[in-house]
Amino acid sequence: MANDDASGYMGSMDIGFGGGGKVLSNSGFADITELYVSNSGHARLFTATRYGKKYILKCLKEDYLYVPTYRTALAKEFEIGLQLDHDNVRRTVGMETIQGLGDVIIMEYVDGCTLKSLIDNGRLTKPLARKVASQLASALDYMHGKQIVHRDLKPSNIMLTYNGMNVKLIDFSLSDSDAFNILKNPAGTSGYIAPEQFNPEAKADAKADVYSFGKVLMDMANITGDKLMKRAAVTCARRNAAERPDSVAAVISGQGNSSKQRITLIVMVCVAVLLCAVVAVMVYNRALSADGKENNTLVPDGNQAVDYNLWKDNSVIDAVPE
């Protein structure tokens, strides 16, 4: 199982993939500088420039350079990364053999920081967290549409660019695809790996990523206090895979629908209150009008009215009491 700063497969790994797409090269890279070395894993990262552009180079540590299993894992990572072309996924440019490094995956350089660093430093805001959730969901939905599962989704594998704070999903060292029949052992990082993946016979699918996505949402919700995001996180991170949403896109869509439903409900309540007020005013006015008419009614005083046409008849006049 992987820890937070290094990824690894659980148990033994299959062997048998011949990495393709490599070009023997003297590299043409300059300023090759070590950036990161995994403490417990097999990878190391370098920054380098070529034709004025900066790249990330990923290769094996010296102890693993000639171990078939890890050479296979590196080649698989390259093949999967090469299939992905999405604004919120770090691009894989190529794979070359560079003197002193061996086989190297050449990747897009991302000028930014990890989501983990923002969370740890308390610099994650609610609007930014929701933006991260939306863009991350878009990236995962794109990957799942290509039958690719990330399998190691966590805050340290999510970068945010300094320019625009846009998501870049990184590290496909544990990713899997239906196109491969090797390195299929369950994999992930403790705290983010789906429970069913602890079963040696488990097969990674989109719902494993949905679980990890829920755990990432929970991390962000705990920092920002976003109750809506927390509810979405609980929905995604259910232990029973059958109870999870089929996709992360459905989760984000549900969040949007919930907000719209709340706004619609508020508008309907306001309209209902307004109508009640109008009806109350109308009833009150009618009551006042009725009271006015009652007050203007003449009270009988005992006098008898006589038709003026009968006044010509003196007998009638004489009959009128004085």
Side-chain angles (χ1 to χ4, degrees):
M1 191 189 312
N3 56 34
D4 189 60
D5 67 348
S7 298
Y9 287 86
M10 298 166 58
S12 61
M13 296 187 288
D14 309 68
I15 302 175
F17 177 76
K22 295 180 293 183
V23 178
L24 185 61
S25 169
N26 290 325
S27 82
F29 285 104
D31 302 323
I32 299 178
T33 306
E34 189 174 84
L35 176 67
Y36 166 81
V37 178
S38 174
N39 291 327
S40 58
H42 59 274
R44 52 182 177 163
L45 300 177
F46 294 82
T47 59
T49 57
R50 181 159 65 179
Y51 306 123
K53 188 174 182 179
K54 203 168 186 178
Y55 295 92
I56 291 291
L57 308 179
K58 184 172 186 176
C59 60
L60 299 175
K61 291 162 64 174
E62 292 183 1
D63 294 343
Y64 297 91
L65 278 176
Y66 302 103
V67 180
T69 297
Y70 295 101
R71 290 171 62 88
T72 299
L74 189 70
K76 180 181 178 182
E77 179 179 355
F78 163 68
E79 294 285 356
I80 287 178
L82 199 61
Q83 298 178 52
L84 303 175
D85 184 13
H86 188 280
D87 288 341
N88 301 119
V89 176
R90 173 148 69 185
R91 285 177 171 79
T92 297
V93 178
M95 190 170 190
E96 300 179 10
T97 300
I98 297 178
Q99 187 175 2
L101 299 180
D103 294 341
V104 172
I105 300 176
I106 305 169
M107 299 179 293
E108 171 190 13
Y109 175 80
V110 177
D111 185 23
C113 60
T114 65
L115 176 61
K116 184 179 186 303
S117 68
L118 288 181
I119 292 175
D120 290 345
N121 296 327
R123 294 189 289 122
L124 183 68
T125 63
K126 183 185 289 188
L128 180 56
R130 292 196 173 190
K131 178 180 179 179
V132 169
S134 177
Q135 293 187 352
L136 183 58
S138 176
L140 289 172
D141 193 49
Y142 168 79
M143 289 179 61
H144 295 163
K146 288 182 169 290
Q147 309 304 310
I148 296 173
V149 184
H150 190 278
R151 299 210 298 176
D152 197 22
L153 191 62
K154 56 187 178 183
S156 58
N157 281 341
I158 301 165
M159 292 195 70
L160 297 173
T161 62
Y162 289 135
N163 184 6
M165 281 293 167
N166 293 307
V167 167
K168 288 288 185 179
L169 183 57
I170 65 173
D171 194 357
F172 302 98
S173 58
L174 299 185
S175 298
D176 197 17
S177 168
D178 290 348
F180 294 90
N181 59 5
I182 55 167
L183 303 175
K184 309 295 284 188
N185 302 75
T189 296
S190 178
Y192 297 91
I193 183 173
E196 68 274 10
Q197 293 302 304
F198 286 98
N199 182 349
E201 303 299 322
K203 180 182 179 182
D205 58 14
K207 288 196 173 185
D209 277 351
V210 170
Y211 180 90
S212 302
F213 178 71
K215 287 296 187 178
V216 172
L217 291 185
M218 185 64 74
D219 287 347
M220 295 194 293
N222 288 336
I223 291 295
T224 62
D226 192 328
K227 295 181 179 179
L228 184 61
M229 182 174 289
K230 193 166 188 175
R231 287 198 295 269
V234 171
T235 300
C236 291
R238 289 173 176 161
R239 294 188 63 83
N240 187 349
E243 297 177 356
R244 295 174 208 149
D246 292 328
S247 69
V248 291
V251 178
I252 297 301
S253 175
Q255 278 190 288
N257 290 338
S258 297
S259 299
K260 291 178 182 178
Q261 289 171 358
R262 289 172 61 186
I263 293 173
T264 301
L265 181 60
I266 292 172
V267 170
M268 291 177 64
V269 169
C270 291
V271 171
V273 170
L274 181 61
L275 287 175
C276 288
V278 171
V279 171
V281 170
M282 292 176 63
V283 171
Y284 178 73
N285 288 336
R286 292 183 64 180
L288 286 179
S289 176
D291 288 344
K293 289 181 179 179
E294 183 176 340
N295 292 334
N296 291 331
T297 302
L298 295 177
V299 178
D301 57 2
N303 293 330
Q304 295 182 3
V306 178
D307 189 340
Y308 76 94
N309 290 319
L310 300 179
W311 289 356
K312 298 177 182 179
D313 188 345
N314 294 330
S315 60
V316 173
I317 297 175
D318 295 336
V320 176
E322 296 181 356

